[in-house]
Amino acid sequence: MTRASLAPWWLAAIALKLVAFQAAEAFESMDLSRSVLVARGDKAPEVERTAARVLAEEIERRTGIRLPAAARPVGGRPFIALTSNPSEPVVGLQVPERARLAAGRLGAEGFHVSLDTGSASSPGLWVLGADPRGVLFGAGYLLRKLDLEPGSIVLSGPIEIATARRYPLRGHQLGYRNRANSYDAWDDRRYEQYIRELAFFGANAIENIPFEGEAGPHLPLPRREMNRKLSEICKRYGLEYWIWTPADFDLGDEPRRRRALEEHDQLFRDCPRLDGIFFPGGDPGRNHPRLVMPYLEELAALLAKRHPQARLWISLQGFDEERVGAFYQYLEMHRPEWLGGVVCGPSSPPIPETRRRLAPRYRLRHYPDITHTVRCQYPVPWWDPAFAHTLGREPINPRPLHSAAAHNLFAPYTGGFITYSDGVHDDVNKTIWSALGWNPEAEAREILIDYARVFLDRKLAPEIADALLALERNWEGPLARNGGVEAALKLVEAIGEAKPALAENWRWQMVRFRASYDATIRHRLIREATLEEEANAILLRAGELGAERAMGEAGAVLAQPDGDARAQGLRERIENLAGALWKSIGLQTSVPRYQASGAERGAVLDFLDHPLNNRWWLEDQFKRIAELPSSEEKARALAMIAGWEHPGPGSFYDEVGNIAKSPHILRGEGNLSEIIEERVPLPDVMWWDEGLSRRRLSWISFMNWPVGLRYEGLDPAARYLIRLTGYGDAFLRIDGERVQPALYGKGIGEFKEFEVPARLLEDGRILLTFDRPPEPGVNWREQSRLNEVWLLKK
């Protein structure tokens, strides 16, 4: 063995960079429009052959040029050569020594892409893989870097890279089920194209949902056939094929249990490739580990007959401490070989704690929810309720910076991830996770530029990357004060004008849809807040006007149509884009129009007109107040409504779940990592009446519980009352001292009231905090929560 072969990897990397620098000094560009694609043909493994086909087809898709495949260089034409065996010469070509050495040092899945200007009569490119999968990822990298335009294939700058993945598992769940907002509209060809595009950024695993859910109105192929075809696609591309299979029935039901085992056995026989079975311990399912683990042991025996290399994985989602303990006790006693590891997803024990308790022999997989925005694992921090009521839980949601932070925070504890996704709306997030699973040091904006280059437009890639970042910033802070929403729309419109052909691209259609939708909601929020203020001003004059007249005039103000021409144009654009997205990618933005599986499943078009003020609640209150026996009672009731958020001089109001109306809330946020780790509380939004609740908006958004509320500049000589609304219990402390209520309504919208002890006001400031009510085992929808806080000066 020579001294050179013992050189550390970093020394080789430095040498490679010096070579690349020297090449850059002399290199300008290379026209590859007449190049040939040199591959090993039938001698190559299937995945390597797939890589060559992918490169040829994707270049043709973008340029109209079909590169001829050849076993050797042709007549002095430039070449692109692919191989996973750099030590074996390609006919007529010799792999350059530096490239061969660099490829030889790569780890699993690694690739080396470099220029070759000296090994043949014409220059060319080498894509060398440490294994066949590495060739596939190298081809994806090359597609991201070539300048591909109609009739032209150009390499605009030097290229020299040797790279291997950091984390071994980098996948995404693409479940073929009715609940998805787009996957259920796909046939196997559409699936293959999307899986291929995920591999451009290093994704190496796909997870299907083979059994869950009823058949829906889409599903172009029978479930069993699609389950098999997805396995076949993964086999061709060399990607891992996983399945997500819960037991949403009682495992003590022996006939049902036996039927489930038979269903799985049939699936195992159908699939040519299967690598992992993910069994969620909960969400759905409520079985105890004493039933789960023997069931999985039987399942593992069936799996081993067909796919001996595959393993079962389990999540502890929804497990209480006793069940978590029972699971680890089983591992200690049985040490099952069939168990690949533990999956950490929504409602799982914390990832660091799980890694600490889990024996080193078992791996840990992250199962991050990249698909939802509210009522989820990673909600948008302090999301304006106007968005929560309209865009809802599953909108088009590029969150590149949040995705990068979430990946890099937890990845070191794990061997990788397969994300939870229910549609293409989270396409950007998938790309960020895939790229960072390969290289966690990559910058989010640079990943987005590559995303734009390969999928949208190479010349406008930096601007498109900035537009995607702007869409994430649209969701920061109070919407009414976020002028960046309009700036984002203008940037998107300018890009569209510069490249009209983007209008047919489904990824760009999603960008336009979101930018237009955000601007529409901001316009409506500002307008409808103004209308409510005008209506409240009329209600305050009920004693002068009479209650009936005041309610009539206030109702007429609230019902005024929006005559803004620009707003109407944006609305028409949104509806047209919804139709285009249904045709281009099967995205279902409406239940009645596009048969979305439910209002909460991406049906954002159905909530475009959802009231952003309290119009519905006020209309119902007007009916109630009209039945009161006296005009004095009606006037008092209307005055209370009109002054709800404006309690008068020296008094204060906070809607605790609304970032725009909670000036006294201590938010407690530090950096994004603290938010992702759930070390600071965030507001949430209830889901009542399929999103069409007529309750007061401040009762729909909530917290349980805020860090606190701070008040300063109070009058030490005055008396103050604290009033709360929420649900259930509220254990209030003032400056650390527990206080008892004078009034204690526990229902939605009912008041709790607490007197502020005079001695606590001596310094003119108070801090409100809350003890969390003990509610073990209580569903989150029934847990105590806080909606509003008043500090009323008497």
Side-chain angles (χ1 to χ4, degrees), residues 22 64 71 128 321 331 368 485 491 520 559-560 573 575 709 733 780-781:
Q22 292 165 358
L128 307 178
E321 291 184 13
L331 292 193
V485 171
L491 175 58
T520 296
Q560 287 179 20
R573 179 192 300 173
E575 292 184 345
L709 294 91
R733 291 183 183 271
W780 71 271
R781 295 173 181 84

Side-chain angles (χ1 to χ4, degrees), residues 614-625:
N614 288 296
R615 174 167 62 88
W616 283 355
W617 181 76
L618 287 168
E619 290 170 351
D620 294 344
Q621 291 300 304
F622 292 166
K623 293 176 183 177
R624 178 186 66 83
I625 291 169

